[in-house]
Amino acid sequence: MHLSEGVLSPSTLVIGYAVAIMGITVGLRKMDNAKLPFVALFSASFFVASTIHIPVGISSVHLILNGIAGLFLGWSVFPAFLIALILQLLLFAFGGFSVLGVNLCIMALPAIVVHILLTPYIQRQQTRYSLIIIGTLAGIIGVAGSALIAAIFLSMEGGKTYLDLIWLLLISHIPVFIIDPLISIGILLALAKMRPQIFHEVK
């Protein structure tokens, strides 16, 4: 869901960078050594998932996995996603430096919402059914939140053209609304078998 350069006004880009810098600052302060392997893992997962994309208008359609990342990383998703976005920009020219702050907000802010809402539930004794519910919610909130924030940034520019672009963005991501939660469920079920204690370590 990367937005392209040349779409947003300088004032909107400044807002995006301001929010992103605050998020990165908080994320770095909250990151501890025990969380570093997961930061690297989800940064790599996000990098790979969103590298496989289909350009649609001023954006692109790809898996996001920000919900499941936010569930385990919390505010650390900001530095984790920043690394992935910079690598994508340098290696594949996705997005651009001017929209880096906005794109980071689009990906990371919904992940924070997932962490806040679902962390109390992931820390409990889990059943297969509860993990399916949590994975579904993480995927839906992550994708829907990213679409909403992208729409907000675009709506700040105004005009019918941007309204049409917002609708195109939302409609084109319908498949992601389905696939992202399924992958999130699969990750949680796999972790429940391989390392069930990890759910009690989320904080």
Side-chain angles (χ1 to χ4, degrees):
M1 206 174 290
H2 300 71
L3 294 183
S4 305
E5 287 190 312
V7 175
L8 302 175
S9 64
S11 59
T12 303
L13 296 175
V14 169
I15 293 173
Y17 262 108
V19 176
I21 290 172
M22 287 189 291
I24 294 167
T25 302
V26 176
L28 290 174
R29 287 180 177 176
K30 289 182 173 291
M31 190 186 304
D32 53 35
N33 292 334
K35 192 176 285 188
L36 284 177
F38 264 110
V39 172
L41 174 63
F42 281 108
S43 180
S45 299
F46 173 77
F47 173 83
V48 173
S50 54
T51 298
I52 305 171
H53 74 292
I54 301 173
V56 176
I58 58 170
S59 182
S60 57
V61 178
H62 55 78
L63 292 175
I64 304 177
L65 302 181
N66 58 339
I68 192 70
L71 184 62
F72 287 98
L73 298 185
W75 284 92
S76 298
V77 293
F78 269 95
F81 286 178
L82 174 65
I83 294 171
L85 288 173
I86 290 176
L87 288 176
Q88 289 176 351
L89 171 58
L90 295 176
L91 297 176
F92 306 108
F94 290 173
F97 280 110
S98 67
V99 290
L100 181 60
V102 168
N103 283 332
L104 181 56
C105 291
I106 290 172
M107 304 299 176
L109 287 177
I112 301 300
V113 174
V114 170
H115 184 78
I116 293 172
L117 294 179
L118 299 183
T119 293
Y121 300 99
I122 198 68
Q123 293 172 334
R124 300 175 183 175
Q125 185 67 32
Q126 298 300 326
T127 64
R128 182 180 178 85
Y129 177 75
S130 64
L131 290 176
I132 290 174
I133 296 297
I134 292 172
T136 300
L137 290 175
I140 291 175
I141 295 172
V143 177
S146 291
L148 176 61
I149 293 173
I152 290 173
F153 277 117
L154 289 173
S155 66
M156 292 170 66
E157 306 304 315
K160 184 179 184 301
T161 301
Y162 284 92
L163 181 61
D164 293 338
L165 291 173
I166 291 172
W167 279 111
L168 177 62
L169 178 70
L170 297 176
I171 293 173
S172 63
H173 277 81
I174 291 176
V176 183
F177 277 95
I178 300 172
I179 299 173
D180 217 278
L182 292 177
I183 295 177
S184 298
I185 292 170
I187 292 173
L188 290 179
L189 293 178
L191 287 173
K193 289 184 178 181
M194 295 185 295
R195 193 181 171 187
Q197 70 274 17
I198 195 173
F199 299 128
H200 303 291
E201 299 171 2
V202 176
K203 57 183 179 178

